[in-house]
Amino acid sequence: MHKFKIKMAKQEDVFKKLISHAKEYGFIFPSSEIYDGLSAIYDYGQNGVELKNNIKQYWWKAMVQLNENIVGIDTAIFMHPTIWKASGHVDAFNDPLIDNKDSKKRFRADVLIEDYCAKLEEKAQKEIDKAAKRFGEAFDKNEFETTNGRVVEYREKQKTILTRMAKSLEAEDLDDVKALIEELEIADPDTGSKNWTDVRQFNLMFGTKLGASADTATDLYLRPETAQGIFVNFLNVQKTSRHKLPFGIAQIGKAFRNEIVARQFIFRMREFEQMEMQFFVPPGTELGFYEEWKQKRLNWHLALGLGDDNYKFHDHEKLAHYANAAADIEFKFPFGFKELEGIHSRTDFDLSAHEKFSGRKLQYFDAERNENYVPYVVETSVGLDRLFLAIFANSLKDEVLDDGSERTVLSLPPALAPVKAAILPLMKKDGLGEYGEKIFNELKYDFNMIYEDKDSIGKRYRRQDAIGTPFCITIDHDSLADDTVTLRDRDTMKQERVAVSDLRRIIDEKTNFRNLLSKI
Ligand code: GAP
């Protein structure tokens, strides 16, 4: 049995390594690379697209297949421009931006302040960790958090700052947001300069045109969220599916935002994918469903097995224009805890606005209540690319093996792995290649497979480890005689002799989505 040590590296190095690994092994390429790329736009390669499709499947199955009262749709990216007026995006989908006059770099003012608060929280956490070490088993975390002077002070300071920022943003008091940055002496994180411009609002939607001639063309937007396609189809789906409330509509699709501060690889992109579900409920019941979906969505993430401590809820102080309660599920990315998924109680804001702007009724007749009403909505919205990054970052490990050698392994949840098994004949000649191809051709209908007969077997194992293939199947001369092969497990590196006739069952047991879905 092998024992592994995980090699520890600095966070920055980890992130750099992740980006180069993603490129080297065909997961993610910078878009338009031969023209020097396009900032914050990325292409998914041959392994990336498989992993991404598997993540989509995990979400779709969990939402649509496992819930009798949720159906899926796929709506167009182009939508009638009035939709974005109704939804509030034309007037309110803005980021408060601030420029540093010395470095000429642009930042989101709210993110600068939130990062400052995150540092206060880190300090509080350090105090808690120190005390936990000192007191050992006798440590009462709750009591310490509520009575320790320093922890209380750090937390109260955060609260005061965030409340003030939320109030100022709500009141469009951008001068006060700048004043807050100056009072806290927040500096440009790259250069240390505190020489700031005023804060300005910047709309994030991309504009485009529909039509042939310049005079008659209609101004359109690329959708900044997929949710509106669900709202405007609410009655179409409700009537044709004949679902009663509560019921949900799910959708996976591209969204576009002109992010000014687009950094951190695929964490914040200008073109990205969302997986959104709107759950339509009777008015007055929304906060109960909101709590329920918060927990369900957390459980869905936890089932991936990336570590329970890597997730936390962040309840919003500053609510979006459409919400009466909102929380993020945050994940511990290589650059700290950041939003992975948003869960919003969106009230009847969107449907009522579309009623008003379109002049069409978007109401539901509730037979039990014997009344018509505009349903309330609880939304779950997760960024597919961000989830990809979370899974990829958490799975990528450098290990030092017993014999001192090293390997890089991508220990993806097996159901999500791009390739489920690699067929590796020790050599192509002596009929081993043909035998391998025969196994490949039998299993390819059930699993995404790879056949490879070049390079040493060690090198081929390492390549499969690097893309996260759960099984390697090695064919040798004995295979021809007794129809057995060597099956190597990615995680334990254990090798066992198994009958070819057992391969389908063994691979299925390990890689079936059932393994994830049954844990939710
Ligand atoms: N319909 C609600 C909505 O769009 P959001 O919090 O703006 O809410 C939801 O976005 C999720 O979409 C986020 O939690 C994040 O995972 C993802 N997301 C948002 N902007 C993104 C970007 N620029 N790049 C990648 N993912 C993004």
Side-chain angles (χ1 to χ4, degrees), residues 121-392:
E121 181 53 30
E122 268 170 34
K123 285 184 184 166
Q125 205 54 50
K126 263 196 193 140
E127 296 291 334
I128 296 167
D129 292 346
K130 258 198 312 198
K133 249 195 198 151
R134 207 168 53 236
F135 293 114
E137 294 226 324
F139 183 59
D140 182 338
K141 185 166 177 245
N142 196 24
E143 193 189 327
F144 186 81
E145 281 181 317
T146 45
T147 55
N148 178 274
R150 284 212 195 110
V151 174
V152 171
E153 193 189 321
Y154 289 138
R155 295 252 163 100
E156 271 176 5
K157 190 167 176 197
Q158 282 180 62
K159 200 164 168 213
T160 313
I161 294 169
L162 291 174
T163 312
R164 176 166 156 199
M165 179 179 85
K167 254 195 196 152
S168 309
L169 288 173
E170 183 79 34
E172 289 281 317
D173 184 355
L174 299 181
D175 289 342
D176 191 57
V177 178
K178 182 181 180 188
L180 188 56
I181 288 176
E182 286 178 336
E183 279 167 40
L184 298 173
E185 301 193 5
I186 295 176
D188 176 332
D190 300 325
T191 64
S193 159
K194 295 175 193 157
N195 192 6
W196 297 110
T197 62
D198 288 342
V199 179
R200 286 167 300 120
Q201 291 288 19
F202 181 89
N203 194 287
L204 295 179
M205 283 195 295
F206 282 107
T208 185
K209 288 197 183 293
L210 179 86
S213 83
D215 333 327
T216 56
T218 316
D219 285 318
L220 291 187
Y221 295 105
L222 297 187
R223 67 180 177 195
E225 63 171 11
T226 60
Q228 296 304 324
I230 295 179
F231 286 122
V232 298
N233 277 293
F234 159 69
L235 267 193
N236 282 337
V237 176
Q238 194 274 320
K239 283 189 175 148
T240 51
S241 68
R242 306 179 60 207
H243 272 299
K244 291 200 175 89
L245 259 55
F247 85 97
I249 305 178
Q251 165 159 239
I252 300 176
K254 290 257 180 176
F256 303 82
R257 295 184 189 177
N258 196 3
E259 300 280 3
I260 294 309
V261 187
R263 288 200 200 108
Q264 291 156 331
F265 197 33
I266 55 168
F267 180 80
R268 197 179 300 287
M269 300 157 90
R270 298 201 165 107
E271 174 180 343
F272 58 101
E273 265 181 279
Q274 290 185 314
M275 305 195 286
E276 299 202 293
M277 194 277 297
Q278 317 294 132
F279 203 65
F280 298 89
V281 305
T285 65
E286 72 276 9
L287 291 178
F289 284 109
Y290 165 74
E291 290 302 333
E292 205 175 285
W293 276 107
K294 260 176 83 173
Q295 201 49 52
K296 278 189 182 165
R297 291 304 303 147
L298 181 64
N299 293 347
W300 183 89
H301 288 284
L302 294 180
L304 286 169
L306 305 184
D308 295 8
D309 293 344
N310 287 327
Y311 299 86
K312 66 178 184 192
F313 281 119
H314 168 236
D315 293 309
H316 284 206
E317 298 272 339
K318 172 188 135 197
L319 291 175
H321 58 274
Y322 48 71
N324 70 357
D328 297 334
I329 295 176
E330 292 190 340
F331 183 79
K332 198 171 176 190
F333 286 95
F335 37 82
F337 270 103
K338 297 273 179 214
E339 175 184 346
L340 176 61
E341 167 152 4
I343 296 131
H344 298 131
S345 171
R346 281 179 87 130
T347 67
D348 60 349
F349 174 87
D350 301 83
L351 288 179
S352 296
H354 289 308
E355 271 202 334
K356 195 170 126 210
F357 278 79
S358 68
R360 307 275 179 90
K361 284 243 169 296
L362 287 174
Q363 303 207 348
Y364 169 79
F365 177 69
D366 187 326
E368 270 172 40
R369 293 189 183 191
N370 194 27
E371 59 173 333
N372 278 304
Y373 54 73
V374 177
Y376 272 46
V377 172
V378 173
E379 167 187 76
T380 73
S381 173
V382 60
L384 176 55
D385 313 84
R386 229 173 249 197
L387 191 55
F388 184 113
L389 179 60
I391 294 168
F392 196 82

Side-chain angles (χ1 to χ4, degrees), residues 421-444 449-453 460 473-476 479-480 483-485 500 503:
I423 309 276
L424 311 174
L426 279 185
M427 56 182 72
K428 194 174 163 68
K429 56 182 192 187
D430 296 346
L432 299 192
E434 271 165 43
Y435 193 86
E437 275 169 14
K438 201 176 117 216
I439 299 179
F440 178 90
N441 284 327
E442 272 168 24
L443 294 179
K444 71 180 180 188
M449 312 274 296
I450 273 185
Y451 170 92
E452 241 189 16
D453 56 23
R460 282 184 271 167
I473 297 165
T474 314
I475 290 140
D476 53 26
S479 306
L480 305 185
D483 287 324
T484 63
V485 289
V500 170
L503 284 174

